[in-house]
Amino acid sequence: MRRKILTTLTILSLFLSKAQQKDFILVDNKNGVKLGYSPTSGIKILTVDGLKFKDLNKNGKLDKYEDWRLSVEERAKDLVQKMTLEQIAGLMLYSNHQAIPSNDSGFASGTYNGKSFSASGVQPWELSDEQRKFLEKDNLRHILITSVKSPEIAARWNNQMQAFLEGQGLGIPGNTSSDPRHSDQVTGNIKSEFNAGAGGAISLWPDGLGLAATFDPSIVKNFGSIAAQEYRALGITTALSPQIDLGTEPRWYRIYMTFGESPELTTDMARAYIDGFQTSTGNDEISDGWGYKSVNTMVKHWPGGGPEEGGRDAHWAFGKYAVYPGNNFETHMSPFVNGAFKLDGKTSKASAVMPYYTISYNQSKDGSNYANGFNKYIITDLLRKKYGYDGVLCTDWLITANEGKTPDEFKGKPWGVEDKTIAERHYIALMAGMDQFGGNNVMQPILDAYKMGVKDYGKGYMRKRFEQSGLRLLKNIFRLGLFENPYLNVEESVKTVGNPQFMQAGYDAQVKSVVLLKNKNQILPIKDKKTVFIPKNYQPSIKDWWGNWSEPSLDYSVNIELVKKYFNVTEDPKKADFSIVFVSSPQMNNDGGGYDSNDREKGSNGYVPISLQYSSYTATDARDHSIAAGDPVIDPTITDRSYKGKTVTVSNTMDLSTILTTKSQMGSKPVIVVVNLSRPMVFHEFENRVEGIIARFGIGEQAILDIISGKYEPSGLLPLQMPANMSTVEKQKEDVPFDMECHQDSEGNVYNFGYGLNWKGVIKDARTSKYGIKK
């Protein structure tokens, strides 16, 4: 039936009435513990010894898990013993990606006097049918949040979700999470302008490599503290981060999310990041450093996802193997063992760990080659027993789902157990020591796994096994005070997220992450408002994870209106005093590269090189044979993944032409290249033709322009080696840091780990002394 079209006045009235209604009620206790509950949930407040408690299971008495005076351990043990098998199974689920508002929520929105409203009567913060189903029918309590329309909508959605769960069963609150969301690359604001007084949707910081380029753990700790406050204001209580894989394989496309290739620097950055996120102090602390400002961290990816063979990524079958030609397996665990599990703060260690999709090839003592999430040796023998970790272990997303028909299809990632059923994969992971399944909204496969365990070990054993995981999962909810008050003050959330102070801190970190690589004849800074030429860039058609192709375009890679605030802008190179060329480091497709279905169709194995240079590359120095096996399930005829002798060209090869053409147009006038580095690159193709080179890591252009114009001095240092050529890339070992020949520029400077310039020359300070390569 068609809905009536509401008048603007009726719509506005509807919006205001819903926006102003009370989502929850606060109850004060004498010692300051505040209880928040929804009048729609049906629970009541108990008074015991003059104190107030929430009767979450509605039995009219105070249970231990409802008693906020007791320890987290005691409360969690009481609750898990009360839970049905189905309730524990639901706790083991981690949802697939959820947008707020949901794509299937069916609302039509608009604005009036700056206020949002819904023309359909369905507000953007209301739960979708899908969400209600997996929360109620499948007992799911862990939700992964991706995009949010605004802090207000996120806060209101949180309150709706928590009120819904408060009225279900035992009243277990939701624990929402997010992948990293603070970098310009993530938020899509790469062309945005920073305004210290305006605030924003969320504070903007460098990505992992950018934070590493500061070489300053105190900046990362401050980021963690600020990001945690913004997360909690959005209702997010678990961070699916930090990514502390060592970036020892330069071709791996996820290297931009890491802290680089140094074990020592990565370990310190990991510790600072987690301390910042997890630690509450003062009145916000509940106990042991945990509290109302704390956010759980899920550190990833155990035992280190960096040494991908040939740089291919394990999101796809073509990248399922991590290899260790340098016998350097233990080094990759160091950031976990010596950083994430040995914090300076009172929370002691990261509250959760995510293994990577990869098969750590030939590292298991029993000779098995299961992916890490299925591998008992990797999970139980090493992580649980040898290193004593007893926090939550969550699989990466979709490891129990079925894989695609070809190695490059983005589907499930059941590496090593491809021939098993979905239920069997859950059982193998559970018995390997995993607690939770990422990307799974349905509890039935977990219940099926339970039945398999009962057949092998009996009901008593399997109930105990389920309670073991349930206890770990519940602790991470109790620690944050969510059982007492999971609700948000919407006005406070709006004030907190992206406030001017947080925006300023993020911007300061952006500036400190910028690395000046070349400054021939000290052409920088350019303090006078001279005339600049900015060439347009050709953006090619790129395939996304799901195989969809983007539209090609020719446009500026910078906000020209922003540039005009610093310099006069001309479209005629002859009238310019200098030029700035904005480019990205050489890119393969969005899957990171390494496999080409066309190559397979021609009768070859489908495996191709990953290039770090702009011009076409032929892999003459690649290995004669791959280290790991072929494709035993998808394509058993492939027994070798070698790509020696094959040729590839990166998608943004035109960036090189843009640089060289601009230099020809400018003649003797200086050209400054600003490159957004997402992984190492080969600079020799253009370095000796230009006067300046600046590296940035996932930040906006304003920080770059502030440095070029001399408002700030560069201080960043390279968190990765920059290779001299592709030959050294092929000859380096995937698991070994600092094993490449590095590029030497026309000024005699070597682009090695820890290198960077300021206005005086090569930076040598306490950071380079502490973290520099020891010779």
Side-chain angles (χ1 to χ4, degrees):
M1 186 175 89
R2 298 185 64 180
R3 295 175 177 173
K4 290 184 177 180
I5 300 175
L6 302 177
T7 66
T8 301
L9 182 60
T10 305
I11 292 171
L12 181 59
S13 176
L14 175 64
F15 167 76
L16 291 175
S17 65
K18 286 200 172 187
Q20 291 172 358
Q21 70 184 22
K22 194 69 173 178
D23 292 329
F24 61 96
I25 297 171
L26 282 177
V27 178
D28 283 326
N29 270 294
K30 294 178 181 178
N31 71 344
V33 174
K34 290 184 178 181
L35 306 180
Y37 74 98
S38 170
T40 65
S41 69
I43 73 160
K44 298 187 184 307
I45 299 298
L46 301 173
T47 301
V48 178
D49 299 329
L51 299 174
K52 306 295 184 180
F53 303 88
K54 293 165 71 172
D55 186 12
L56 291 168
N57 61 2
K58 305 173 187 176
N59 66 354
K61 65 178 184 178
L62 181 63
D63 295 280
K64 287 184 177 180
Y65 86 92
E66 299 165 338
D67 189 345
W68 43 261
R69 298 169 299 183
L70 301 178
S71 70
V72 164
E73 184 81 18
E74 192 171 0
R75 297 178 72 186
K77 283 183 178 179
D78 178 65
L79 178 53
V80 78
Q81 290 167 5
K82 287 178 167 61
M83 296 174 72
T84 65
L85 187 69
E86 289 77 12
Q87 287 170 331
I88 299 176
L91 204 61
M92 291 178 172
L93 300 174
Y94 224 125
S95 82
N96 57 21
H97 298 68
Q98 301 294 308
I100 303 174
S102 170
N103 293 329
D104 68 346
S105 60
F107 80 95
S109 62
T111 58
Y112 184 84
N113 286 344
K115 298 287 188 178
S116 62
F117 64 84
S118 168
S120 65
V122 178
Q123 297 296 347
W125 51 78
E126 292 187 14
L127 299 177
S128 69
D129 291 341
E130 179 207 17
Q131 291 164 352
R132 288 179 179 274
K133 181 180 182 298
F134 64 60
L135 293 173
E136 181 178 8
K137 302 299 183 184
D138 290 283
N139 299 302
L140 187 148
R141 294 296 181 271
H142 293 80
I143 307 102
L144 173 58
I145 303 299
T146 52
S147 63
V148 295
K149 191 173 181 67
S150 70
E152 177 190 357
I153 290 174
R156 292 190 182 280
W157 182 90
N158 172 82
N159 291 350
Q160 293 255 340
M161 179 269 294
Q162 298 291 9
F164 182 72
L165 292 180
E166 194 172 65
Q168 301 288 324
L170 296 164
I172 300 172
N175 180 1
T176 56
S177 70
S178 172
D179 283 311
R181 59 193 312 117
H182 279 84
S183 86
D184 273 355
Q185 290 193 152
V186 171
T187 60
N189 290 330
I190 199 68
K191 296 182 179 181
S192 67
E193 179 180 359
F194 169 69
N195 184 329
I202 200 166
S203 61
L204 301 177
W205 298 70
D207 58 25
L209 280 182
L211 289 172
T214 69
F215 274 57
D216 188 346
S218 69
I219 291 176
V220 176
K221 185 176 181 179
N222 188 42
F223 161 70
S225 177
I226 288 173
Q229 293 176 66
E230 292 184 306
Y231 272 28
R232 290 300 297 258
L234 293 169
I236 295 168
T237 47
T238 294
L240 299 188
S241 58
Q243 184 177 326
I244 61 174
D245 309 299
L246 292 180
T248 55
E249 168 45 58
R251 293 162 292 190
W252 186 34
Y253 92 110
R254 290 196 75 181
I255 203 170
Y256 75 90
M257 303 176 185
T258 75
F259 291 125
E261 63 184 304
S262 165
E264 185 178 7
L265 179 61
T266 299
T267 297
D268 286 353
M269 292 298 197
R271 186 184 302 111
Y273 188 108
I274 298 166
D275 271 333
F277 263 95
Q278 292 191 169
T279 304
S280 289
T281 59
N283 293 332
D284 294 316
E285 182 179 3
I286 298 172
S287 65
D288 300 322
W290 292 101
Y292 303 107
K293 293 289 178 66
S294 298
V295 170
N296 293 303
T297 59
M298 186 178 291
V299 63
K300 55 191 186 184
H301 303 90
W302 177 263
E308 301 268 9
E309 185 171 23
R312 299 181 295 268
D313 184 67
H315 277 87
W316 295 266
F318 59 69
K320 67 177 68 173
Y321 295 106
V323 295
Y324 301 87
N327 297 314
N328 213 28
F329 178 70
E330 290 192 0
T331 299
H332 285 262
M333 293 187 286
S334 179
F336 297 86
V337 175
N338 298 312
F341 304 161
K342 292 182 179 178
L343 303 180
D344 292 331
K346 292 162 67 176
T347 64
S348 178
K349 62 186 65 176
S351 62
V353 171
M354 178 189 293
Y356 204 36
Y357 295 119
T358 45
I359 295 170
S360 295
Y361 192 65
N362 286 346
Q363 298 304 308
S364 297
K365 301 298 183 184
D366 60 6
S368 65
N369 271 310
Y370 288 167
N372 297 312
F374 300 109
N375 194 311
K376 186 175 182 294
Y377 173 75
I378 298 291
I379 298 304
T380 295
D381 295 351
L382 283 182
L383 185 54
R384 294 291 195 202
K385 294 182 178 179
K386 182 175 181 179
Y387 296 113
Y389 184 78
D390 193 40
V392 167
L393 297 186
C394 180
T395 73
D396 213 329
W397 263 232
L398 298 178
I399 75 165
T400 58
N402 292 325
E403 64 179 329
K405 295 180 180 179
T406 58
D408 58 341
E409 188 175 0
F410 188 83
K411 289 221 170 175
K413 304 106 176 47
W415 314 142
V417 292
E418 296 94 335
D419 58 342
K420 307 297 183 183
T421 67
I422 291 175
E424 287 171 338
R425 293 170 194 154
H426 281 79
Y427 182 50
I428 293 169
L430 276 172
M431 303 318 288
M434 299 303 298
D435 300 306
Q436 201 168 28
F437 298 91
N440 187 354
N441 292 4
V442 182
M443 69 177 173
Q444 190 57 51
I446 299 177
L447 298 177
D448 292 339
Y450 170 82
K451 294 175 183 177
M452 295 176 189
V454 169
K455 185 176 180 180
D456 290 342
Y457 299 101
K459 287 186 177 180
Y461 179 91
M462 286 307 293
R463 174 69 197 194
K464 183 177 180 180
R465 173 66 189 86
F466 267 52
E467 287 188 6
Q468 183 183 46
S469 289
L471 181 66
R472 294 175 181 134
L473 291 159
L474 289 171
K475 285 180 181 178
N476 285 354
I477 304 176
F478 275 112
R479 286 169 175 153
L480 309 183
L482 293 175
F483 276 87
E484 280 58 71
N485 182 19
Y487 299 99
L488 299 173
N489 181 307
V490 176
E491 290 75 18
E492 286 300 316
S493 290
V494 172
K495 290 178 183 178
T496 298
V497 179
N499 71 53
Q501 180 184 352
F502 293 173
M503 294 293 289
Q504 183 67 59
Y507 186 74
D508 290 345
Q510 289 187 44
V511 171
K512 292 177 180 178
S513 74
V514 175
V515 182
L516 177 61
L517 296 175
K518 185 174 183 179
N519 192 17
K520 186 175 182 179
N521 298 325
Q522 282 68 54
I523 61 164
L524 295 172
I526 300 174
K527 293 187 176 182
D528 298 327
K529 194 169 185 178
K530 295 184 177 181
T531 301
V532 65
F533 168 66
I534 309 284
K536 292 182 178 180
N537 293 70
Y538 174 72
Q539 302 296 334
S541 181
I542 296 292
K543 182 176 67 174
D544 67 16
W545 282 22
W546 297 272
N548 303 308
W549 290 87
S550 65
E551 291 292 329
S553 65
L554 179 64
D555 202 355
Y556 292 110
S557 292
V558 62
N559 183 340
I560 288 296
E561 295 305 313
L562 177 62
V563 178
K564 289 178 180 178
K565 295 183 178 182
Y566 293 82
F567 307 106
N568 299 312
V569 176
T570 180
E571 295 184 1
D572 185 354
K574 295 178 182 178
K575 296 180 180 179
D577 298 307
F578 72 105
S579 176
I580 308 175
V581 184
F582 290 89
V583 297
S584 296
S585 54
Q587 303 293 312
M588 305 296 285
N589 281 326
N590 282 355
D591 58 14
Y595 187 87
D596 185 351
S597 58
N598 293 323
D599 180 81
R600 182 72 185 103
E601 290 172 3
K602 293 177 182 177
S604 187
N605 63 5
Y607 291 86
V608 296
I610 295 175
S611 178
L612 302 181
Q613 66 183 38
Y614 288 121
S615 54
S616 294
Y617 164 64
T618 301
T620 56
D621 292 320
R623 294 188 182 106
D624 292 328
H625 301 284
S626 63
I627 294 174
D631 296 310
V633 178
I634 291 181
D635 194 344
T637 65
I638 302 302
T639 58
D640 192 336
R641 299 182 172 208
S642 176
Y643 50 79
K644 187 171 184 176
K646 294 183 182 179
T647 301
V648 292
T649 303
V650 296
S651 59
N652 61 331
T653 183
M654 290 299 294
D655 279 358
L656 177 61
S657 177
T658 300
I659 295 170
L660 298 180
T661 299
T662 300
K663 183 57 188 174
S664 295
Q665 292 173 317
M666 295 296 294
S668 61
K669 292 180 287 188
V671 172
I672 302 160
V673 175
V674 177
V675 58
N676 191 23
L677 280 176
S678 59
R679 51 185 162 188
M681 64 177 288
V682 174
F683 280 92
H684 77 76
E685 296 174 296
F686 67 87
E687 174 272 314
N688 64 354
R689 299 288 306 278
V690 301
E691 286 69 33
I693 301 176
I694 296 173
R696 61 170 169 160
F697 303 90
I699 64 170
E701 291 90 11
Q702 186 174 351
I704 303 300
L705 294 169
D706 274 346
I707 285 177
I708 290 175
S709 63
K711 181 176 182 179
Y712 298 108
E713 184 172 17
S715 61
L717 304 168
L718 282 178
L720 299 161
Q721 292 184 318
M722 296 296 125
N725 48 54
M726 281 303 298
S727 177
T728 192
V729 172
E730 295 289 0
K731 293 174 182 177
Q732 59 87 38
K733 297 176 179 179
E734 286 92 336
D735 61 324
V736 178
F738 313 137
D739 63 341
M740 290 193 296
E741 176 190 354
C742 296
H743 176 74
Q744 183 172 6
D745 70 12
S746 62
E747 310 308 293
N749 294 319
V750 178
Y751 294 4
N752 207 339
F753 173 85
Y755 163 73
L757 298 172
N758 56 25
W759 300 144
K760 296 177 181 177
V762 177
I763 297 172
K764 292 183 179 179
D765 56 19
R767 299 172 300 160
T768 58
S769 177
K770 181 175 182 179
Y771 295 112
I773 299 175
K774 308 298 189 291
K775 297 181 180 180

